Amino acid sequence: MSYLEDSSKNGDPVRPGEQWFFYWKTSAALWESRILQFQPHEVVFIPLYWGFHAESATEWDFGRIQPERDILRLTQLLTHHGRKFCWILPLTPAPFLPNGGVPVPAARVMSVNTEGVHLAVLDQEQKLNKMYSFFEPKVFQSFASFVKAFGSFLASSKIKASVWGAQFSYYQDGKNISFMEDRSLAFEQGFSRYLKKNNPNGNDLTETKREAQLKETFTEEVLSLFKTTAEAGLAPFWGGVQKIVALGAGPKETIERSFDGGKSQLEYTKDLFNHYVNHQWITSALLTQKEKKDSLERILGEHFGSREIAERYNYESYGAELTEEFRPFGVISLFGGRVSEQFQRLGLTAFLDKHFRWLYQRHEELEFTPEWIDVHHDKIKFFHGRDLDRTKFGQILKLFLMGQRILLDLEGLHPDLDKRLQIFLLENNLKMQSVNYLTTTNIVELGEGRFITFEGEKLLSEPQKEKFWQHIFRYLNLVQPELQMDDDVFSLWRIRGTTPHELSYLDVRRVNFYNPTSYKKIISIKTHKHFAFMRMIDPIKAQAKSTPDGVDVELLPNGKIALDFGHYEEA
C-alpha cells in the first residue's frame, strides 16, 4: 500500500472536504500532523471504510494486525488534541470508497443503474471506484457482522463519539438517485424472492408502473434493513441518518469528468444551489482541486462550511433571537408535495424562482422540535393536504396558534382532517374570510398568525395562476430588496442582529453574489425604501456603486462580492 504524505496536485486526498478525514489514505504515523491541520473549532468526521477492516468474512481488525486500521489510536490522538469527532457509517454504496466500501470477498456483483450501466465513480485522485450491489446477500451478512464488531469495539474502548449513518446519492437529469438504486442480477434475484415471499400466489407485473412501484418498495425495505441493523447494533452511539449527495458522482458526470475540460463551474454551481433550495446536504470529497476552485470553492466555504456542518449534525444550533453572527436567511419553507410535484404544478415554485430566488427551501418532513420552531418562526410555511396525517395536521395548527403563517392546499386532504379544522375554528371562536379569485381561498387571522387554505386543484389548469400568487404574497407583505440579474448569476442571503451602533435598523442582511461564468455580469438591486446600503465586503473581480434606487454591481468572470443592507422599520 502506498501512502500520500502531502496534498497531491488534485487536492488533499486525506482531508477531501466538509471536515472529513480519510484515515486509510495515509500512514498512521502521519495521522497526528494531519489532524492538526483541521481548525481547533472544527468537528472531524471520520467515514468508516468498513471493507478496509476485513480480515475475513466475519473477522475484523481495528489495529491488532495493521496500524492503519488502529482507529482507537486515531481517537486517542483526536482526544489528546481536544478535537470533537464523529463517525460516518455508509448505509449504501459510498462513491469515495473502493468497491463502494464492500469487502473484497463480498464484492461479487457490480451495481447497475436503471439504464443498464455499471456504476463506477471517479474520486479526487481520478481513480475509478466500482460500486458493488448491496442486494448481494453476502454484503448484508458482512455489514451486519461489521456493525456488531464495531459496536463491541466502541463499547469496550469507551469511545463516546456519535455514529451517523449516511445514505449516498448522485444528482442526474434533475433528480437525486440513491446509490442503493440497482438493477443488477443480485437485485433481480432478491426482488424475485421478495415477490414470492409476499405473494406466494404470484404477482401480475404486466403493468410497467406496478412493477416499478414494487421495485421501489423493495429497494426502500432493503435500505431500511441496513439502517435498522446499524441503529440496533450501535444504539448507544447512534446519531441518526444523513442523506448526502455526492457532487460529481453521477454516471454522466463520471464520463464528463474524465475529459480534460471536465464539468464546468457553472454546472456545478447550478447543482449546488439546487441542493441548497432542496435542503440537501452534500459532499465535495470526489472533486479535484482543479474542479473545486473559484466560485465553487467560495460557495462551499461560505454556505456549506464549519458553522453549517455543526448545525447539520446537531453540534450547534442557531437560537431564536438574532445575534451579531450572520446566519442563513430565507422567507419561505415548502413541505412535502415533492412526489406529486404539486408545488410546481400550482405555479408556486416558478413564482418563487422569479420573485424570491433562493430565498425558499423544500423539506421532506416538518421537524417539529422547539429549537426548529423557534429558529424558523418567521418563515411562511406551505403544506399540501395529501401529505398530512392526523399528527402533522395537529402540528401545523399548533404552529398557527404560535403566531406563524401557514398556507395549505386542500387538494387531497382527508375528510376527517377537514372536519377537525372546522371544529378547531369553532372551539377557538375564529372567523374565516373567504375570497374567490381564480380559486376559493379562506383566511383565518389570530394575532400575527395566518392560516390560509386554498383549493389548489382549481389552479392546475388556470393560465393566470401567477396572478393568484401575486395576490397572496401582496397580502403576506414580504419585504425584500429586488434583484435584477441574469439566471446564471447566483446569490444567497444571510441575516444578523444589529450592533449598538446600528439601532436604527431592525436587522442587517448580507447578499453574496457569484458569477461562475466566463462573461461579465451586471446586477441591479432595488431597495424600495425599506433598506439602506451599508457596505461592500471582500470584492473579487467585482465593484459596486450606489444609485438613487439602490446599488448596481459589476461582476467579472468568476467574480464575487457581498453587500450589507440595513433593514428599516416597515411602514
Side-chain angles (χ1 to χ4, degrees):
M1 181 182 292
S2 63
Y3 299 108
L4 298 163
E5 299 189 12
D6 297 304
S7 299
S8 73
K9 64 180 181 180
N10 287 331
D12 187 343
V14 181
R15 300 188 308 122
E18 290 74 56
Q19 297 161 212
W20 287 14
F21 185 70
F22 286 178
Y23 60 93
W24 65 91
K25 288 272 191 179
T26 189
S27 165
L30 298 173
W31 281 351
E32 185 169 22
S33 62
R34 303 313 305 274
I35 287 168
L36 292 175
Q37 291 176 342
F38 288 98
Q39 294 297 317
H41 68 277
E42 293 181 339
V43 180
V44 179
F45 294 85
I46 309 170
L48 286 161
Y49 179 7
W50 57 289
F52 177 65
H53 294 272
E55 276 297 302
S56 69
T58 57
E59 184 182 359
W60 306 91
D61 175 32
F62 296 114
R64 179 175 55 85
I65 299 172
Q66 287 191 29
E68 280 67 39
R69 296 170 173 170
D70 191 355
I71 52 179
L72 175 60
R73 178 173 174 270
L74 175 59
T75 62
Q76 290 171 340
L77 289 170
L78 288 160
T79 303
H80 174 72
H81 290 288
R83 304 304 172 94
K84 294 179 182 178
F85 66 94
C86 69
W87 312 96
I88 297 178
L89 174 64
L91 303 176
T92 65
F96 51 87
L97 295 178
N99 298 343
V102 176
V104 172
R108 296 188 169 192
V109 181
M110 280 189 68
S111 293
V112 177
N113 70 9
T114 54
E115 297 173 346
V117 177
H118 287 94
L119 283 180
V121 182
L122 277 178
D123 70 7
Q124 192 188 54
E125 301 170 85
Q126 296 290 283
K127 294 178 181 177
L128 198 64
N129 292 332
K130 298 178 181 179
M131 300 294 104
Y132 280 85
S133 176
F134 268 41
F135 293 90
E136 162 60 48
K138 285 192 175 295
V139 172
F140 177 72
Q141 294 166 11
S142 185
F143 179 82
S145 173
F146 173 81
V147 166
K148 182 178 179 181
F150 184 59
S152 298
F153 165 76
L154 292 179
S156 63
S157 303
K158 298 182 179 179
I159 299 172
K160 297 180 180 180
S162 297
V163 181
W164 285 87
Q167 297 172 344
F168 293 99
S169 62
Y170 59 90
Y171 184 67
Q172 183 166 288
D173 298 332
K175 62 180 180 178
N176 289 338
I177 302 172
S178 171
F179 275 99
M180 201 69 169
E181 186 170 295
D182 188 9
R183 292 299 181 268
S184 67
L185 179 60
F187 172 87
E188 296 296 347
Q189 290 174 340
F191 182 58
S192 179
R193 291 191 296 270
Y194 170 79
L195 292 178
K196 290 177 181 178
K197 179 181 177 182
N198 288 278
N199 194 346
N201 298 322
N203 286 269
D204 181 11
L205 297 183
T206 54
E207 290 188 23
T208 305
K209 185 176 180 181
R210 172 64 175 160
E211 181 181 2
Q213 288 172 341
L214 286 171
K215 286 185 174 180
E216 184 177 342
T217 301
F218 173 56
T219 301
E220 288 297 323
E221 290 191 12
V222 174
L223 184 63
S224 178
L225 179 63
F226 277 87
K227 172 183 173 291
T228 54
T229 299
E231 192 173 6
L234 301 167
F237 316 99
W238 193 246
V241 175
Q242 292 285 352
K243 295 181 178 181
I244 302 175
V245 186
L247 299 179
K252 293 180 181 179
E253 290 176 303
T254 297
I255 296 171
E256 193 174 9
R257 293 177 63 218
S258 66
F259 296 112
D260 288 340
K263 184 168 176 173
S264 71
Q265 286 276 305
L266 176 59
E267 292 305 313
Y268 273 127
T269 304
K270 286 180 180 178
D271 291 352
L272 199 52
F273 273 67
N274 174 75
H275 299 318
Y276 180 87
V277 164
N278 286 287
H279 195 58
Q280 296 159 348
W281 197 241
I282 55 91
T283 175
S284 62
L286 296 172
L287 304 188
T288 66
Q289 195 62 40
K290 183 179 178 181
E291 293 174 299
K292 202 188 303 184
K293 64 177 183 179
D294 297 332
S295 294
L296 192 62
E297 181 181 25
R298 294 169 195 137
I299 296 166
L300 287 169
E302 293 170 7
H303 304 286
F304 293 86
S306 59
R307 185 63 178 87
E308 280 65 38
I309 292 171
E311 180 84 11
R312 192 80 178 197
Y313 287 88
N314 302 328
Y315 281 93
E316 295 181 34
S317 178
Y318 292 113
E321 300 297 325
L322 293 178
T323 66
E324 293 182 19
E325 175 192 19
F326 275 105
R327 63 176 69 183
F329 177 66
V331 294
I332 297 148
S333 293
L334 311 180
F335 295 90
R338 189 168 293 175
V339 174
S340 63
E341 297 185 340
Q342 183 70 359
F343 296 127
Q344 289 94 316
R345 294 163 63 217
L346 290 171
L348 175 58
T349 51
F351 180 85
L352 296 178
D353 286 336
K354 184 176 180 179
H355 299 281
F356 299 96
R357 199 176 176 201
W358 303 307
L359 281 163
Y360 71 95
Q361 281 193 314
R362 303 189 63 161
H363 305 264
E364 290 184 10
E365 297 290 341
L366 173 63
E367 187 178 339
F368 197 75
T369 62
E371 295 80 13
W372 190 93
I373 291 170
D374 287 343
V375 171
H376 297 272
H377 183 278
D378 292 328
K379 288 187 178 180
I380 298 164
K381 299 169 180 64
F382 284 79
F383 296 89
H384 183 225
R386 190 184 294 115
D387 298 318
L388 301 180
D389 56 21
R390 192 171 183 83
T391 299
K392 291 178 184 174
F393 192 70
Q395 290 172 344
I396 67 173
L397 292 178
K398 290 178 182 177
L399 292 177
F400 166 61
L401 291 174
M402 293 176 188
Q404 301 201 23
R405 293 171 290 179
I406 308 295
L407 281 91
L408 171 61
D409 179 1
L410 294 174
E411 196 266 322
L413 184 70
H414 194 280
D416 291 348
L417 298 183
D418 188 46
K419 289 179 183 177
R420 187 177 178 188
L421 175 59
Q422 304 310 316
I423 293 170
F424 169 80
L425 297 176
L426 287 171
E427 288 178 343
N428 291 277
N429 195 28
L430 297 172
K431 301 290 177 64
M432 180 182 289
Q433 307 170 47
S434 292
V435 179
N436 284 304
Y437 178 72
L438 303 180
T439 186
T440 302
T441 305
N442 295 311
I443 303 171
V444 181
E445 299 182 351
L446 180 64
E448 294 183 352
R450 300 291 183 271
F451 195 92
I452 302 172
T453 63
F454 60 95
E455 296 180 12
E457 194 170 8
K458 294 181 180 179
L459 282 178
L460 297 180
S461 58
E462 174 55 59
Q464 300 188 72
K465 54 174 70 80
E466 183 178 355
K467 291 186 177 180
F468 171 79
W469 295 116
Q470 288 174 347
H471 280 75
I472 288 291
F473 281 90
R474 192 177 298 122
Y475 166 75
L476 293 170
N477 193 32
L478 286 182
V479 177
Q480 183 68 13
E482 178 187 351
L483 306 183
Q484 297 176 355
M485 60 189 186
D486 290 348
D487 288 344
D488 49 9
V489 176
F490 299 81
S491 65
L492 283 174
W493 286 88
R494 302 179 80 81
I495 188 171
R496 67 166 170 82
T498 56
T499 67
H501 305 292
E502 301 166 335
L503 296 181
S504 58
Y505 301 132
L506 293 172
D507 53 63
V508 176
R509 301 184 191 182
R510 173 173 294 178
V511 59
N512 295 271
F513 291 108
Y514 307 92
N515 176 17
T517 75
S518 54
Y519 301 94
K520 182 175 76 172
K521 299 292 181 179
I522 302 298
I523 304 163
S524 181
I525 302 110
K526 309 296 184 185
T527 53
H528 297 305
K529 299 182 181 179
H530 289 292
F531 295 88
F533 175 49
M534 297 170 64
R535 65 182 71 87
M536 65 177 175
I537 301 95
D538 301 329
I540 299 173
K541 300 180 181 179
Q543 58 184 3
K545 62 178 182 180
S546 296
T547 69
D549 297 324
V551 183
D552 283 349
V553 174
E554 180 183 275
L555 278 180
L556 296 178
N558 287 310
K560 179 259 178 182
I561 194 172
L563 306 176
D564 282 357
F565 293 89
H567 177 204
Y568 283 111
E569 184 75 44
E570 297 170 12

